[in-house]
Amino acid sequence: MFVGQIFLLTLLYQLSVVIVTFLHIPIPASVFGMIVLLVLLSKGLIHMHYVEKGAAFLNKHLAFFFIPIAVGLMAYGGLIKTDGLALIVMIAGSSIIGLFVTAALTDRLSKKVKGQRREHS
Amino acid sequence: MTFIYIVLTIAVYLSSRMLARRFPSPFTTPVFTSTAVLIVLLLLADVSYEQYTPAKDMMTFLLGPATVALAVPLYHNRDVLRDRLIPAAAGLIVGTLSTIASAVWIASAFGLSDTIQATSAVKAVTTPVAIEAAVIIGGDPALAAAFVMVAGIFGAVFGPFLLTAMNITDPFSRGLGIGTVSHGIGTSQAVLEGPVQGAVSSAAMGFAAIVTSFVLPWFFPLIQ
């Protein structure tokens, strides 16, 4: 049953690849598939029961699937030696700025919206 | 050999999970420790990434389905998302533009090449989008994949810690920040922090990819 659920998710993904390729949709197939599954679940076309266990397993081990790809960094030894420090500062710095702006802005705006709703009601 | 590489990768991953559970710290984040250990082992054994690639292809077969599966936490938290759609959209768009601009500016301040500057702009989004977007603005696709990996690992390792240091405790805002700057790898960590964080991070990863691919062709020339 559990394997069947993962098979169903794989089928959904492969279908998304086909749709995204043929319709030239400019978003990754995996993100497109995520939206499709969300719509199917919301419309009740796929019952949560059919995907929940398999999805929980894949979500828990999502990090695993990135590891073999990240190992590809080993091919960049030369660049790391010459520009490694500058690149780390660039990636860390811009990530910290983006993280702070996104989270702080969302946090402040959410509180403001909540406050306004309270005033109106 | 491919079989051995797969067993090795799984063994390293499972050990790194045990290590993270026993010594919880940003530095024991499994995606970081596993990647570092595997790179060292492969270099010591004189195995090239090309030799490891067949194993990689087999192991990443489920990455697509695993990303699709993020719809499940998304569905469970759909009410929160609908409720806070406007603050979330504003935070995500401004946050995406600021991470793109700061990456390009820092790269240019260090005098890095035009190709590297263009590639820097895409480092926050999920690999397939990063690769395509990089090519459009004159970046390098292989390098884009590498930057995306480092940004993802950075977000997974330091994201939760930095958010706490910034005094942001709201699970929704935490998930949104992590997903926006560190895509799937950050999301894999956000899922472990809590269901709301995981769901919001998944949504943020998707929207950041969409926003970046639409905005970059005209935004990049402006900041260059």
Side-chain angles (χ1 to χ4, degrees):
Chain A
M1 191 184 96
F2 168 77
V3 175
Q5 297 197 349
I6 292 179
F7 180 75
L8 180 64
L9 290 164
T10 308
L11 203 71
L12 264 169
Y13 171 67
Q14 295 298 346
L15 228 97
S16 306
V17 173
V18 173
I19 294 171
V20 166
T21 315
F22 279 91
L23 299 181
H24 300 285
I25 298 171
I27 57 173
S30 55
V31 172
F32 181 78
M34 186 168 88
I35 298 167
V36 168
L37 179 56
L38 183 65
V39 170
L40 291 174
L41 288 168
S42 304
K43 300 279 174 213
L45 293 169
I46 287 187
H47 197 277
M48 185 52 87
H49 195 68
Y50 293 115
V51 287
E52 195 156 31
K53 285 212 174 87
F57 175 80
L58 291 179
N59 286 347
K60 189 173 153 199
H61 295 292
L62 183 59
F64 170 77
F65 304 108
F66 288 107
I67 293 166
I69 304 174
V71 170
L73 289 171
M74 68 187 278
Y76 287 92
L79 186 70
I80 292 167
K81 261 180 214 145
T82 54
D83 292 328
L85 188 67
L87 292 174
I88 284 290
V89 173
M90 180 276 287
I91 291 172
S94 60
S95 294
I96 294 170
I97 290 168
L99 187 69
F100 180 71
V101 170
T102 310
L105 188 61
T106 308
D107 200 37
R108 298 290 135 77
L109 286 176
S110 302
K111 279 176 189 150
K112 211 171 229 180
V113 171
K114 223 184 245 171
Q116 274 172 354
R117 271 187 203 160
R118 218 166 277 150
E119 272 169 36
H120 284 295
S121 58
Chain B
M1 283 316 277
T2 297
F3 177 71
I4 296 173
Y5 298 149
I6 292 176
V7 172
L8 178 74
T9 307
I10 293 173
V12 169
Y13 168 68
L14 292 177
S15 324
S16 75
R17 273 176 62 94
M18 273 169 17
L19 183 77
R21 215 169 294 159
R22 172 132 339 152
F23 305 103
S25 143
F27 294 100
T28 55
T29 309
V31 66
F32 170 65
T33 49
S34 299
T35 304
V37 167
L38 282 165
I39 289 179
V40 170
L41 288 177
L42 293 180
L43 288 176
L44 285 177
D46 212 15
V47 176
S48 70
Y49 191 59
E50 282 72 43
Q51 289 168 284
Y52 179 79
T53 299
K56 179 210 91 177
D57 291 340
M58 288 174 81
M59 284 185 283
T60 50
F61 177 74
L62 286 175
L63 178 59
T67 310
V68 173
L70 289 171
V72 169
L74 214 51
Y75 175 78
H76 286 311
N77 293 282
R78 64 196 185 284
D79 292 339
V80 198
L81 272 161
R82 203 179 297 141
D83 215 39
R84 297 178 63 173
L85 195 63
I86 293 166
L92 190 143
I93 292 169
V94 180
T96 297
L97 295 180
S98 66
T99 199
I100 294 172
S102 55
V104 175
W105 287 334
I106 295 171
S108 120
F110 277 109
L112 298 170
S113 72
D114 286 352
T115 313
I116 292 184
Q117 288 182 35
T119 312
S120 305
V122 304
K123 63 110 207 8
V125 294
T126 185
T127 316
V129 173
I131 288 173
E132 284 179 32
V135 173
I136 293 170
I137 58 167
D140 177 72
L143 195 59
F147 285 4
V148 168
M149 285 302 125
V150 178
I153 294 172
F154 179 82
V157 171
F158 297 109
F161 163 81
L162 284 166
L163 286 164
T164 305
M166 292 165 186
N167 214 0
I168 293 161
T169 51
D170 168 42
F172 188 95
S173 306
R174 289 175 71 92
L176 199 84
I178 292 178
T180 303
V181 300
S182 50
H183 53 92
I185 301 184
T187 301
S188 72
Q189 194 60 26
V191 168
L192 303 179
E193 192 180 286
V196 174
Q197 288 91 320
V200 181
S201 186
S202 317
M205 169 186 82
F207 283 112
I210 294 167
V211 169
T212 301
S213 57
F214 280 111
V215 149
L216 208 56
W218 63 264
F219 185 63
F220 181 67
L222 288 181
I223 54 169
Q224 213 182 0

